[in-house]
Amino acid sequence: MRFNHETLGQRVRFASGQARESLAAELDLLGSARAMLIAGTEERELAERVTAGLPVVVHHDEVVMHVPTDVARRAREVATEHQVDVIVSVGGGSTTGLAKAVALTSGIPIVAVPTTYAGSEATNVWGMTESAKKTTGVDDRVLPRTVIYDASLMLSLPQHLSIASGLNALAHCVDSMWAPRADPINAALAVEGIRALNLGLPAILDDPSGLDGREQALYGAYLAAVAFASAGSGLHHKICHVLGGMFDLPHAQTHAVVLPHVLAFNVPAAPEAAERIASAFGSATAVAGLATLRDRIDAPTALRDYGMPEDGIEQAARAVVEAAPKDNPTDVTVENITTLLQAAWEGAEPR
Ligand code: NAD
């Protein structure tokens, strides 16, 4: 066994119903007296509950998916104007993404309070969009100093978003098994992440007001994001990045639809990963394990349902082949990626 692995430094406070207390302790530890709260209008009620009585000097609520550069600029101006010493983000990946855009140029530490399973809070990856082109980068200044997980904040996330976002987390795990910097440590995290998400997601549906399933899913989502941050983007993430950028598709749902197709595409050439994914699902094969979970939770199936045009498939396939990792287990060609995207577009069985 031979590998180089880097672990990112970050504190995690995980306690259901305790987000406010966890945040208070964290701001205390950081000596914060002038926090900036970033939370979109839809998360206002949650955010006010989490920050009640804490030293927040400004609440910024202009949150837009994929962080347009002008939205980032306005948030940076607010941070400067109010001389903030900590950024508190309460929301999903879009909210964390805006906090990262402010931290990228200011170095102000972030305390992230996630309300979806996207996992941006555990990565040092930032993303911004200008003129419909998304740029991403890696910078340790954007890694939140602390993550506060509270499963009770997930109760208001609509079921269909819980499922799509949870499958986005599962995709981090699966892709980490063959991404460019895959190693035994992030594989171990990914396998435990799959086990937890496979347990948690059906439980969210079975018990709409319960915390147990949400705790498992959040725990799995964190492991997924740590694995992904370490392993980098594999074929699955490259495909979703191309599709999201070209056709402005919703992030979590795109991941949810594409995942079974990439799994079926890669497992014949990655037997060890396939065996470990299968055992994490408690299933005979990786493909069957994912299919069983997807049936159980009524997962999204077709890209056409989210607005992807069929005549965009060939152009997307060419861009995917350009972007695909060179050492992907199965060789990538315009023909086989076109077949994969056609099946994902139609909602056909993965081939
Ligand atoms: P999102 O943050 O846009 O949230 C989706 C919707 O859910 C929004 O309408 C939001 O208001 C609502 N919502 C969120 N939490 C809620 C709650 N608890 N209750 C009710 N409604 C709630 O979507 P997302 O999928 O979390 O994040 C997607 C973005 O994150 C994309 O831009 C993606 O590129 C980015 N991302 C980045 C990384 C990274 O490492 N940098 C990782 C994952 C995702």
Side-chain angles (χ1 to χ4, degrees), residues 42-43 46 63 65-67 91-95 97 100 115-121 123-127 134 153-158 161 165 168 172 228 251-252:
E42 290 178 55
E43 281 73 64
L46 282 183
V63 173
M65 198 185 274
H66 304 316
V67 197
S94 301
T95 312
K100 286 179 164 184
T115 65
T116 69
Y117 306 103
S120 174
E121 66 278 3
T123 81
N124 55 0
V125 180
W126 57 265
K134 186 163 182 177
L153 303 180
M154 324 304 282
L155 288 168
S156 55
L157 191 63
L161 282 181
S165 187
N168 181 187
H172 291 324
F228 167 61
H251 178 84

Side-chain angles (χ1 to χ4, degrees), residues 38-344:
I38 299 185
T41 46
E42 290 178 55
E43 281 73 64
R44 173 171 286 277
E45 190 271 322
L46 282 183
E48 284 177 353
R49 192 161 20 111
V50 168
T51 56
L54 300 180
V56 171
V57 291
V58 58
H59 177 175
H60 188 72
D61 66 4
E62 190 194 15
V63 173
V64 181
M65 198 185 274
H66 304 316
V67 197
T69 46
D70 55 332
V71 171
R73 179 179 46 75
R74 283 192 285 277
R76 288 167 176 163
E77 285 168 2
V78 170
T80 305
E81 185 193 333
H82 291 268
Q83 299 182 320
V84 307
D85 54 16
V86 168
I87 305 158
V88 175
S89 61
V90 181
S94 301
T95 312
T96 315
L98 182 58
K100 286 179 164 184
V102 178
L104 181 65
T105 50
S106 65
I108 300 170
I110 301 171
V111 178
V113 187
T115 65
T116 69
Y117 306 103
S120 174
E121 66 278 3
T123 81
N124 55 0
V125 180
W126 57 265
M128 262 178 278
T129 317
E130 185 156 29
S131 313
K133 188 173 183 321
K134 186 163 182 177
T135 308
T136 60
V138 175
D139 194 309
D140 283 348
R141 280 177 301 182
V142 309
L143 177 75
R145 183 74 57 87
T146 301
V147 185
I148 291 174
Y149 286 114
D150 176 346
S152 73
L153 303 180
M154 324 304 282
L155 288 168
S156 55
L157 191 63
Q159 298 264 4
H160 71 280
L161 282 181
S162 297
I163 296 314
S165 187
L167 289 169
N168 181 187
L170 194 68
H172 291 324
C173 297
V174 170
D175 220 24
S176 294
M177 302 301 284
W178 44 59
R181 299 188 305 276
D183 68 37
I185 297 187
N186 47 49
L189 297 170
V191 164
E192 171 64 357
I194 293 171
R195 189 201 60 76
L197 287 158
N198 188 46
L199 199 67
L201 297 182
I204 293 173
L205 295 191
D206 292 348
D207 186 4
S209 58
L211 293 180
D212 292 353
R214 290 169 172 84
E215 285 187 347
Q216 284 298 319
L218 263 185
Y219 163 64
Y222 174 70
L223 297 177
V226 174
F228 167 61
S230 168
S233 288
L235 178 64
H236 172 86
H237 279 79
K238 295 296 184 188
I239 291 175
C240 293
H241 189 85
V242 165
L243 296 177
M246 258 181 201
F247 309 113
D248 195 25
L249 305 183
H251 178 84
Q253 290 86 342
T254 304
H255 279 266
V257 170
V258 170
L259 180 60
H261 299 278
V262 176
L263 182 69
F265 183 84
N266 267 349
V267 289
E272 196 189 325
E275 198 183 315
R276 294 192 71 184
I277 295 169
S279 83
F281 277 120
S283 177
T285 69
V287 169
L290 179 59
T292 304
L293 172 66
R294 289 174 54 82
D295 281 351
R296 178 99 208 276
I297 61 180
D298 198 15
T301 53
L303 291 172
R304 65 174 158 195
D305 295 343
Y306 298 100
M308 178 174 167
E310 186 173 16
D311 62 8
I313 290 175
E314 203 189 314
Q315 184 198 0
R318 290 186 193 287
V320 168
V321 171
E322 284 281 296
K326 299 296 164 244
D327 56 355
N328 186 64
T330 300
D331 285 342
V332 165
T333 64
V334 172
E335 290 69 35
N336 62 21
I337 293 297
T338 302
T339 304
L340 184 158
L341 292 179
Q342 183 71 37

